[in-house]
Amino acid sequence: MTIKEQIQHKIDFKTKPLGSLGTLENLALQIGTIQNTLSPTLQNPTIVVFAADHGIAKEGVSAYPQEVTFQMVMNFLLGGAAINVFSKQNGISLKIVDAGVIFDFEPNDNLFNAKIDFGTKSFLNEKAMTETQLQQCFDKGNEVVNSIFENGCNIIGFGEMGIGNTSSATMLMSYLCNLPIDECVGRGTGLNDTQLENKIAILKQAQTFHGEIKNTKDVLQYFGGFEIAQMCGAMLTAFENKMLILVDGFIASNAFLVAYKINPSIIDNAVFCHLSDEFGHQNLLKYLKVEPLLKLNMRLGEGTGCAVAYPLIESAVSFLNNMASFESAGVTNKD
């Protein structure tokens, strides 16, 4: 039997009706298969929040001003954000990455300085970043994950912060899924109807300006944020390191989409933690043919979906390792 068949056999002969733990059984099978063991473990769980600013934010696509990016990073470092609260609650390490925030941060043990530049260019009328900057993003993402992996981590969650990044993610999704802007765009930080119409008009204008783009990395270069590009590179490295990859909401899922286009096998290691309330997320998960663990009407980002879903992943590993089998418990199976 393959390791996957052995794990499935172990799951099926626990003291329960066949398949009765539903999604937890699928998670247990996935995690055991990734780790190539009948007794998987979750070691040094870590969530990484990549932060950067976006040139497109200057075009009026967000309800919040651009300086909120650096202010929220400061909040992360001081422990006051939702992701801090949920990570602490569930025993998850939290690391913040400055991928390109318009601010100079003091050195901090929980902050990776991976700044590419002080924000991207506005993709309304030019490429968001240069080809060299894109490669630097992949290199930095690789460095971040390898340093966490070397610390014994085998399960890593991805979150983000960056005013304007739902616009960036919308463009990535539209191009890479071949869907119109209207099926990808959402309210982001809470736009009203008029603001949303303006956002859609700006994104369509950008699409008209740039025209057709086929190459995956070109799409990322033209429309991505530094935090999205670094997250994409980081996810690919996490897959190479055989780590379990926890994907947060709309932005993180679009970073994953780019990684998936580069290496489709990465889907085997991914857990999609929740269905975001951001409109395009449902269409994106449908495109990827994946089911989210939770639907809590969240749309905060920061990796909060990963942190909130983590106890379910612990439960999947726990039942696989600790629940009795029919044989060990002396319970008669239905057969």
Side-chain angles (χ1 to χ4, degrees):
M1 281 198 294
T2 65
I3 188 68
K4 190 170 185 178
E5 289 168 336
Q6 290 175 59
I7 298 163
Q8 188 64 60
H9 183 269
K10 184 178 179 181
I11 291 169
D12 290 345
F13 282 82
K14 296 292 185 182
T15 47
K16 59 175 181 60
L18 205 63
S20 60
L21 282 176
T23 298
L24 294 182
E25 297 191 18
N26 300 337
L27 278 172
L29 180 63
Q30 180 185 16
I31 296 165
T33 303
I34 291 167
Q35 296 184 10
N36 197 36
T37 177
L38 293 171
S39 304
T41 57
L42 303 177
Q43 297 170 358
N44 292 357
T46 303
I47 290 174
V48 190
V49 180
F50 290 83
D53 276 303
H54 293 251
I56 195 66
K58 300 184 184 81
E59 314 293 347
V61 293
S62 174
Y64 282 80
Q66 195 162 48
E67 59 265 26
V68 169
T69 303
F70 92 77
Q71 290 168 352
M72 281 304 299
V73 172
M74 293 298 295
N75 194 20
F76 300 150
L77 297 175
L78 292 169
I83 188 57
N84 299 97
V85 173
F86 298 144
S87 295
K88 185 177 180 182
Q89 174 192 346
N90 293 318
I92 302 167
S93 296
L94 179 64
K95 298 293 181 184
I96 312 302
V97 179
D98 173 11
V101 180
I102 305 175
F103 191 79
D104 279 317
F105 296 98
E106 296 291 325
N108 186 297
D109 289 344
N110 291 320
L111 179 71
F112 285 97
N113 181 6
K115 195 189 294 288
I116 304 298
D117 201 349
F118 290 92
T120 53
K121 305 294 185 189
S122 171
F123 62 68
L124 181 60
N125 43 34
E126 58 185 314
K127 298 174 188 177
M129 66 187 83
T130 67
E131 197 173 336
T132 300
Q133 287 175 327
L134 178 62
Q135 186 54 53
Q136 287 171 340
C137 285
F138 276 80
D139 293 342
K140 291 292 186 184
N142 178 60
E143 285 174 28
V144 167
V145 169
N146 278 335
S147 70
I148 291 167
F149 176 70
E150 286 159 13
N151 197 37
C153 170
N154 68 359
I155 172 168
I156 186 166
F158 291 96
E160 43 58 45
M161 177 63 216
I163 295 299
N165 65 6
T166 59
S167 292
S168 183
T170 296
M171 299 301 287
L172 297 178
M173 180 180 167
S174 178
Y175 273 89
L176 297 177
C177 298
N178 197 27
L179 290 170
I181 294 284
D182 302 81
E183 291 182 30
C184 308
V185 73
R187 294 183 186 271
T189 47
L191 299 175
N192 61 35
D193 289 348
T194 303
Q195 291 169 323
L196 179 61
E197 285 174 19
N198 180 60
K199 178 180 181 179
I200 291 169
I202 288 167
L203 299 186
K204 287 181 176 178
Q205 190 180 333
Q207 202 163 51
T208 300
F209 177 82
H210 290 285
E212 190 174 340
I213 309 164
K214 289 294 187 186
N215 182 275
T216 298
K217 283 193 172 182
D218 286 348
V219 173
L220 186 57
Q221 181 195 338
Y222 280 50
F223 303 110
F226 294 136
E227 85 282 31
I228 295 174
Q230 285 193 19
M231 207 185 328
C232 174
M235 288 172 171
L236 289 165
T237 300
F239 175 68
E240 289 167 13
N241 290 335
K242 296 183 169 59
M243 301 165 88
L244 186 67
I245 298 166
L246 307 186
V247 185
D248 190 34
F250 183 62
I251 317 295
S253 296
N254 273 287
F256 181 87
L257 172 66
V258 181
Y260 170 75
K261 291 286 186 178
I262 293 168
N263 184 355
S265 298
I266 195 173
I267 201 102
D268 296 338
N269 288 44
V271 174
F272 293 83
C273 293
H274 76 121
L275 173 61
S276 168
D277 216 28
E278 186 70 6
F279 174 74
H281 198 218
Q282 187 166 352
N283 289 334
L284 178 53
L285 297 187
K286 196 180 295 181
Y287 177 86
L288 290 167
K289 299 187 172 90
V290 294
E291 288 291 330
L293 286 184
L294 300 168
K295 184 184 184 301
L296 299 174
N297 301 113
M298 292 168 60
R299 52 174 179 83
L300 179 58
E302 304 178 7
T304 46
C306 303
V308 170
Y310 181 71
L312 295 178
I313 295 159
E314 282 188 306
S315 295
V317 169
S318 185
F319 99 77
L320 183 61
N321 289 334
N322 301 316
M323 188 176 174
S325 66
F326 284 105
E327 186 178 27
S328 69
V331 174
T332 303
N333 200 346
K334 68 173 184 176
D335 296 328

